[in-house]
Amino acid sequence: MMEKIDSIYFNKGIKLEKLLLEDLIKVKNFLELQVQQMPIGLIIWDTDFRVHSWNPASEKIFGFKAEEVLGKHPYELIVPLSAKPHVENIWRRLLEGDTTSHSVNENITKVGRTIICKWSNTPLKTKDNRVIGVLSMVEDITEQKKMEEEIHLMQTLTLGISISEDFSSALKITLRNICEATGWAYGEAWVLDKEKKHLVCNPAYYCKVAELENFRAKSE
């Protein structure tokens, strides 16, 4: 009789374990499906700052497939030289457990294109508060930043032109703002003469580099 009872409990135990295992598999599959179908990039890094997980949205942003990046350091892939000091500071803070170590910085794609990305980072910790990795969510905000800069430039130009005394003053402000926004070292404007038959060089110009003053003199 005891053997039969033991057998019943044993069989029930096996069934319970099987059900629990099935539930765990379902949960795992559901979570993996969420990660795979997320509209933003999700990357998991180990504590050596190497890729542990890379979802399809990350592939779309950077152009690298998961098999190309697993186990690799971001400096080999997506971080330009100019951004390394900033990224190193963010990574140090994350390993220290800082949950506010987010970032907006330049990255590079597989084909070498420079993009601007917004990074939301979270250190992954054990119950005893030990950091075992980092989870990053990333969005390509290049177009958004470009639009914001264009709007800011238009607002600046509108304000500058509105307080100008004459056309040449307004043109000078416009050239300066456009050159500063684009990083150009020199800007000049050619306008129609009074008869509207020929282009003539307007007195307004912008010059950031002294060596280009000779070029300006020849333009006149």
Side-chain angles (χ1 to χ4, degrees):
M1 182 68 178
M2 185 60 70
E3 290 180 1
K4 186 175 182 181
I5 292 173
D6 289 343
S7 177
I8 292 171
Y9 279 119
F10 179 72
N11 289 333
K12 284 185 176 180
I14 291 175
K15 289 180 180 179
L16 181 59
E17 287 182 6
K18 186 178 179 181
L19 289 172
L20 288 172
L21 181 60
E22 289 175 353
D23 287 341
L24 286 172
I25 291 173
K26 287 179 182 179
V27 171
K28 178 177 177 293
N29 290 338
F30 180 69
L31 290 174
E32 286 181 351
L33 187 64
Q34 286 182 308
V35 170
Q36 292 299 309
Q37 296 185 359
M38 283 181 69
I40 62 176
L42 188 145
I43 305 170
I44 296 177
W45 315 90
D46 63 22
T47 52
D48 291 324
F49 207 1
R50 295 188 178 277
V51 179
H52 177 76
S53 179
W54 180 276
N55 77 340
S58 300
E59 294 182 7
K60 186 176 180 181
I61 293 171
F62 298 109
F64 292 99
K65 293 188 178 297
E67 56 266 27
E68 295 179 278
V69 300
L70 292 179
K72 291 188 177 180
H73 198 284
Y75 293 169
E76 303 174 51
L77 304 165
I78 60 173
V79 178
L81 185 63
S82 58
K84 284 184 179 181
H86 172 74
V87 173
E88 284 175 359
N89 180 54
I90 294 292
W91 183 250
R92 176 186 56 78
R93 289 167 54 193
L94 285 164
L95 290 183
E96 291 172 354
D98 187 348
T99 58
T100 63
S101 301
H102 309 308
S103 175
V104 173
N105 56 262
E106 287 188 345
N107 289 103
I108 49 177
T109 66
K110 183 178 180 178
V111 296
R113 186 168 67 92
T114 299
I115 59 176
I116 300 174
C117 291
K118 178 181 178 181
W119 293 85
S120 299
N121 306 302
T122 303
L124 301 174
K125 303 179 182 179
T126 59
K127 288 183 179 180
D128 59 358
N129 217 34
R130 182 169 53 89
V131 176
I132 58 172
V134 170
L135 183 149
S136 297
M137 290 186 289
V138 56
E139 298 175 82
D140 180 356
I141 60 168
T142 307
E143 292 304 316
Q144 177 185 328
K145 291 291 289 183
K146 183 179 178 182
M147 188 177 297
E148 290 174 355
E149 290 170 359
E150 288 176 353
I151 291 172
H152 177 70
L153 176 59
M154 290 303 298
Q155 291 173 336
T156 304
L157 290 175
T158 301
L159 177 61
I161 291 171
S162 68
I163 62 175
S164 298
E165 296 179 356
D166 51 42
F167 176 71
S168 289
S169 298
L171 198 53
K172 187 174 183 179
I173 290 172
T174 301
L175 287 170
R176 185 188 72 234
N177 287 330
I178 290 176
C179 288
E180 288 177 350
T182 57
W184 294 345
Y186 181 83
E188 63 182 20
W190 291 71
V191 297
L192 287 171
D193 60 13
K194 292 180 180 179
E195 289 75 27
K196 296 184 179 181
K197 292 182 178 180
H198 306 285
L199 287 173
V200 294
C201 188
N202 189 273
Y205 75 100
Y206 172 87
C207 186
K208 187 179 180 181
V209 181
E211 288 78 2
L212 291 174
E213 291 290 350
N214 291 332
F215 177 80
R216 172 63 189 178
K218 291 180 180 179
S219 294
E220 294 176 335

